[in-house]
Each structure stands twice: as structure tokens, then as C-alpha cells.
Amino acid sequence: MRTSPALRRKLISVAATSAALLTAASTASAVAAQETVSQGSAVPAAQTEAAPGTPAERLIVGYRSGTAEARSNPAAEADAAAKGEKTGEDVDFQRRLGTGAALVDLGDDLTKADVADVVAQYRADPQVAYVVPDRLNKPKADPNDTEYTKQWDLFESTAGMNVPGAWATSTGTGVTVAVIDTGYVAHTDLAANIVGGYDFIADTAVSVDGDGRDGNPADPGDYYAANECGSGVPASNSSWHGTHVAGTIAAATNNNKGVAGIAYGAKISPVRVLGKCGGYDSDIIDAITWASGGTVSGVPANSNVAKVINMSLGGDGACTSATQSAITAAVNRGTTVVVAAGNESDNVANHSPGNCNNVISVAATNRTGAKASYSNYGSLVDISAPGGQTSTGTANGILSTLNSGTKTPSSESYAYYQGTSMATPHIAGLVALVKSANSALTPAQIETAIKNNARALPGACSGGCGAGLADAARTVQAVSGSGGSTGGTTFTNTTAVPIPDNGSAIESSIAVSGRSGNAPTALKVGVDITHTYRGDLVIDLVAPDGTAYRLKAASSSDSADNVSTTYSVNASGESANGTWKLRVQDTAAQDTGKLNNWQLTF
């Protein structure tokens, strides 16, 4: 960081090739249960398609047991005709399937909106148990990208994110992701998915490109000499960090070249805020505003408004009101903001924007599914994703698009990086898949869907790694109505309980009934506590048999206020039915608070 008086404004340092180069993330208070799509609500795109982007020509309709339509073909035929009359479409009963469901034909040349009208009619009918498109299945094959087999983070069963299972439903088509980072250096495995962005670096000492803000987000390199960014800071080559991040999200796929992108149907808008020695809050704030469709004085309107923002960047200290204001406004405009938790092996509460609200905070896991040694942690982390750990072998990092130039751009290349900077674009890519599958979802609903469909970390995490390891296939299936969990069954206790200062533990109970078997491997525990200096608090979930599961330990360094998050607990050894308790204790003097409410989602 620069030390001259003129440059003692706050810089956020860019994360680069190693854990020593920082990135940070933040978390928002999370909704504990996904809102399911109600009758008469917007029909998810995937329920109108035979294949992504292709309107369905047939529907499979399951009628409730005992109805005339479930027993009688003429009744089903009459019902199809009635639905067609209401929607103005030619809906014809075709035949009865072996399961008893009815196959109905919609004719040719229908749009997805036309199909949605018919689907909505069936969904609104209380006699109908379900209605789904007659989907077109294709032979399963891996992408033909030459380096795909090295992308363990996408497909390996232990610690991969189960991305290929999502591609049959969504590839991110129609969604733009703003990568707020170092800009973009030309790469043929990414170029087809790049749309216009902007260079927001106003200070020419940081921008390196010889000018201030302009419409060219090209990355000229961010190398620096020893001591140039602060006394004792060693020299560093150019990182091409933004290009690596962008490749993970949306590298061209099935092009017989390089790597596959998670949301390879999406577009990337490169927004440059990081240059030599990092980037200023002021530039980042304007970038967040512009990328999400807001107005920035002196900057042309954004013609590529992003519904997803990726910020693999960060620094130390509190979330400022200025940064929080920009993030909140972006979310209110409908843009999901995904940020990295940081690489300090510390509580994310100590790192900005990791302690901001209304973002999805991402911790990093290694190839065994444990928290990566460098990753930040804590109750503000929302979700974990593969970030790699090259100390156990270069190939255990995250492979993506890069450039071979040590200072200025040279030939395009690929390289393994590690960091929460690498984990974050995994979630940004997943958000693009989700938004493409169901465009009606809000940022809060998207976050909830990702957390509710995560699986328990296969490895260890101390300190809190959010809801678990993100699962792309389950999440996309959930929001498209083709599987997964949109929230499950939720049990809630809304009775507020005061938490005595440095006193005995308080307990709040939830009686669970009507479940069968044991609790899930990823039982979601939503907690809403108001309490100054939350590091004083110890929080446990107590199962019906008395077994305690530690959700949060006390921490003398966690000075932030309140606990509003969702924990994931492997409670598969516990009977689901019975009385569960949340136990909260304040272990230090001078701060008080209360448990507002908590809930369990099975």
C-alpha cells in the first residue's frame, strides 16, 4: 500500500496468484427458507422449455388421485380443451403414460410465454398435482474443451460443485455478470462472451494505462517493483486477475479449446477498478453503481446492465456507509452481489467488504472439501465453493484463462490460481445459472436457494463456512421446479428471549413432528440475534437426544454487531422428530442482546 501522504487514501488490494494476495468477501443476513413458487405466480422458464431456450411442445400433467381426469381419458381430453379455450391455444390430450399422467400436445410455433400461459392454467387447477414440460433428453457427454479434465472443481464427486448436472437446465443464457476487478486481457477462449465494460480507475498512478476513466476496460498489467506499494512489500508480476475470474464464470465451452465456464451461456462485462497496488473505494463504489444500472456522473449509461456482480477483492476494516450504500442500491435494483471472504485465515468480520450486508459471502475449499488453509471464515460466510490449494500440488488449484506476460500483455495462457478470489466466481457463475433458469427470483431468493441446496462440507471447517459446499445441479433444479429443495419444511420459534450479559445460557425450543427418519446431512439452522460485540456469544444447536452441535464459538476479535445467518449442520445421526433447542450464552461483560427468532429447515 502506498505510504506517501498524498496517497494515504484507502486502497483495496488485489488478490493474485497466492494466498498471500488478499481477497475479501461479505455476507448478508440470509433468509432461512426459500420461497416456493405459489399458484398463479410467474412460471419459471425451465417449466416452459423442452431444452434450454426451446419452448415445449408437450406437457405431462399429473392429476390428483380420485379425480375424473386421473381415471378417464375423455375427462382428461375435455380438460385439455378447456385449458386451451382459456388460453387461446390448441391443447390436445395425446395419451396416458404408464404412471397415469396425461400427455398433452400444445401444437407448433408456441413461444415460451404461450407455454407459460397453459402451464399457469394447469397449476391453478386444484385437481392437478403437477405439470411439467415433456423435456428433450440428449446423450450425456463431457464438454470437449481440451483442459476440462483438469477442472476438478466443476465435476469431482468429493469436492466439485456438481456443475455439469446443471447444464441440461441452464447455461446462463440472457444474464450478464459484471466482473469488478483488474479488467480484461484478450483471450480467445473468453472473447465470445465479453461485452462492453468500463475503466473506473481515476488515478493515473494506479491505472498504469496513462489516462483516467474511459470506456476501455483492457488490463495493461498490474505489476509493481519492490517497495513501490509500501515499505517491505516485494515486487510482483502482473496478475491478470480479472481474466482468470472471468474464465471461471463464462469461458467459451464445447469449442475444442481450453477450459469450460460455469455459466458459459452468460456474458461478462469487465469493469476495471484494480490497478497497480490495488484500487480505491471511490472507484469500486462507482463501479458497483454503474454495473447494476445506476447513474454515475460523467460516465455514459450502461448498456449491459448486470444481474450479477463478482467482486474478488477486499481490504481490512469496517464496511463503510459509502460502500454499504452502493451495495444496497445495487441489490435493490435486482443485482446479486457476490464477494470473496478473504485469504487471511481470519474471521471475515474483520475485513471489508466482508462485513457489509446484502452480499453473498464465499469461503474457499480445497480438493478434499475442507476449508482451504488460507480462507477466512465466520458467521458472516454464506456459502463455500472450490478455491483450490496449490500447496498440496499445483493441479489442486483452479485452472482458468490467463496471459503469460510478466508485466505487459503477451500470449494468452491458462494457469492454476488459488484463493477466495477463485471461489467467488464459482458462486457468481451459479447465480447466473439460477437467474437464467428463473428470471423472476430476487437476490435474496437466489441466495436462499443456493444455501438451501448446498451439501455438507466433505472436509473440516472450524469457525464457520456458511451453509456448506454449493451444489449447482441441486440449486438449478430447485429454482426451475425439476428437483432439489426450494426450502423444505420449516419450523420456527418467533418468541424473543433476552440474553443476559455474561450470564447463564438461554434456550429456545422448537418441537418438530411429522417427519420420517433422521434429520438431513445439511440441516439449515437460521438464527437472528441482536447483540453488540457478537464475539461474546457461543451458540449451540441441541438435538432431541441432548447432543450439542457448536454453531458459533466465542471470539475476542469479532467486534461486529448481531448474528443473522443460516448455519448448516450434519444432523443425520439424529431423529428428526422431537424437541430441538437453540442454546445461546454471552461469555463476556458489557454487551447485551436478545434472540429474536430462529428456525430449522429440513
Side-chain angles (χ1 to χ4, degrees):
M1 192 171 293
R2 295 171 182 263
T3 58
S4 64
L7 292 174
R8 284 179 182 164
R9 290 165 289 173
K10 184 177 179 182
L11 279 169
I12 291 186
S13 59
V14 58
T17 60
S18 71
L21 298 173
L22 308 188
T23 55
S26 157
T27 186
S29 60
V31 183
Q34 168 71 15
E35 297 179 16
T36 56
V37 180
S38 61
Q39 300 287 355
S41 65
V43 176
Q47 292 190 15
T48 70
E49 299 172 331
T54 305
E57 296 181 354
R58 289 171 296 276
L59 299 174
I60 300 172
V61 181
Y63 290 97
R64 298 192 184 279
S65 177
T67 62
E69 293 86 352
R71 302 189 305 268
S72 164
N73 288 355
E77 185 173 5
D79 187 47
K83 299 292 194 293
E85 184 175 353
K86 289 182 179 180
T87 58
E89 307 297 342
D90 186 14
V91 184
D92 295 318
F93 171 79
Q94 293 293 297
R95 60 186 170 89
R96 186 76 59 176
L97 304 187
T99 58
L103 180 68
V104 298
D105 185 81
L106 305 178
D108 300 325
D109 300 324
L110 270 71
T111 66
K112 286 192 285 187
D114 294 333
V115 177
D117 288 343
V118 179
V119 170
Q121 283 295 320
Y122 275 109
R123 291 172 68 202
D125 187 342
Q127 308 290 351
V128 174
Y130 62 85
V131 55
V132 295
D134 189 11
R135 295 191 306 187
L136 181 65
N137 293 271
K138 298 179 180 180
K140 291 290 185 181
D142 288 339
N144 61 22
D145 302 79
T146 55
E147 304 299 310
Y148 175 71
T149 57
K150 300 175 183 177
Q151 293 182 271
W152 61 267
D153 46 306
L154 302 192
F155 62 80
E156 280 192 354
S157 59
T158 298
M161 218 172 74
N162 199 10
V163 174
W167 284 334
T169 303
S170 176
T171 62
T173 302
V175 178
T176 296
V177 182
V179 175
I180 297 180
D181 213 293
T182 65
Y184 165 67
V185 62
H187 201 294
T188 58
D189 202 16
L190 190 54
N193 286 335
I194 297 293
V195 297
Y198 206 80
D199 181 356
F200 274 92
I201 302 178
D203 190 323
T204 55
V206 177
S207 71
V208 185
D209 59 4
D211 55 33
R213 292 182 170 184
D214 57 39
N216 180 11
D219 185 350
D222 57 355
Y223 71 94
Y224 49 84
N227 302 311
E228 192 173 5
C229 295
S231 179
V233 176
S236 175
N237 291 334
S238 290
S239 66
W240 316 114
H241 187 266
T243 300
H244 196 280
V245 167
T248 296
I249 298 170
T253 302
N254 282 315
N255 61 342
N256 281 297
K257 177 181 177 63
V259 296
I262 290 171
Y264 60 83
K267 300 300 182 184
I268 296 291
S269 174
V271 184
R272 186 168 183 250
V273 297
L274 300 176
K276 179 175 286 190
C277 304
Y280 287 105
D281 278 353
S282 55
D283 291 341
I284 294 168
I285 287 166
D286 280 350
I288 294 169
T289 303
W290 182 84
S292 60
T295 300
V296 176
S297 178
V299 179
N302 184 2
S303 59
N304 298 294
V305 174
K307 288 303 179 185
V308 190
I309 285 175
N310 186 102
M311 290 200 295
S312 292
L313 50 79
D316 298 336
C319 177
T320 66
S321 298
T323 297
Q324 183 64 70
S325 177
I327 290 171
T328 300
V331 172
N332 289 341
R333 283 188 283 269
T335 298
T336 301
V337 181
V338 187
V339 295
N343 298 343
E344 295 81 14
S345 190
D346 186 25
N347 195 311
V348 67
N350 301 317
H351 304 277
S352 172
N355 41 19
C356 295
N357 296 321
N358 299 326
V359 302
I360 299 178
S361 167
V362 188
T365 53
N366 60 27
R367 198 167 181 173
T368 68
K371 184 185 80 68
S373 61
Y374 55 79
S375 179
N376 286 349
Y377 51 83
S379 61
L380 290 180
V381 170
D382 289 305
I383 196 70
S384 294
Q389 189 156 334
T390 56
S391 63
T392 60
T394 300
N396 293 334
I398 305 300
L399 184 66
S400 189
T401 47
L402 210 71
N403 191 278
S404 65
T406 57
K407 293 185 177 180
T408 58
S410 182
S411 58
E412 65 180 41
S413 63
Y414 300 87
Y416 291 97
Y417 275 9
Q418 68 171 21
T420 53
S421 275
M422 284 60 256
T424 304
H426 283 76
I427 300 303
L430 174 53
V431 173
L433 295 178
V434 169
K435 189 68 175 177
S436 179
N438 189 338
S439 61
L441 293 178
T442 66
Q445 290 171 329
I446 290 172
E447 177 181 340
T448 299
I450 291 172
K451 294 163 78 169
N452 282 347
N453 290 284
R455 63 187 193 269
L457 286 186
C461 172
S462 59
C465 286
L469 180 63
D471 189 303
R474 278 178 50 86
T475 305
V476 170
Q477 288 165 3
V479 302
S480 63
S482 57
S485 170
T486 57
T489 301
T490 299
F491 300 83
T492 305
N493 187 326
T494 58
T495 302
V497 182
I499 303 170
D501 183 29
N502 195 22
S504 300
I506 59 99
E507 289 185 342
S508 176
S509 301
I510 291 178
V512 175
S513 61
R515 308 296 299 175
S516 60
N518 286 359
T521 57
L523 175 64
K524 304 299 186 241
V525 187
V527 178
D528 183 5
I529 295 174
T530 301
H531 191 283
T532 52
Y533 209 104
R534 63 173 174 234
D536 293 356
L537 299 178
V538 175
I539 306 174
D540 292 299
L541 175 69
V542 183
D545 67 356
T547 302
Y549 296 84
R550 178 59 47 90
L551 303 180
K552 179 190 176 300
S555 172
S556 60
S557 63
D558 187 359
S559 60
D561 296 340
N562 308 330
V563 179
S564 182
T565 192
T566 301
Y567 300 96
S568 182
V569 175
N570 184 351
S572 57
E574 306 291 343
S575 174
N577 290 330
T579 299
W580 296 76
K581 297 177 182 179
L582 191 73
R583 179 185 298 155
V584 184
Q585 184 173 14
D586 184 334
T587 62
Q590 298 183 350
D591 294 276
T592 60
K594 65 179 177 179
L595 169 62
N596 299 307
N597 61 76
W598 70 288
Q599 54 189 325
L600 295 171
T601 302
F602 289 83

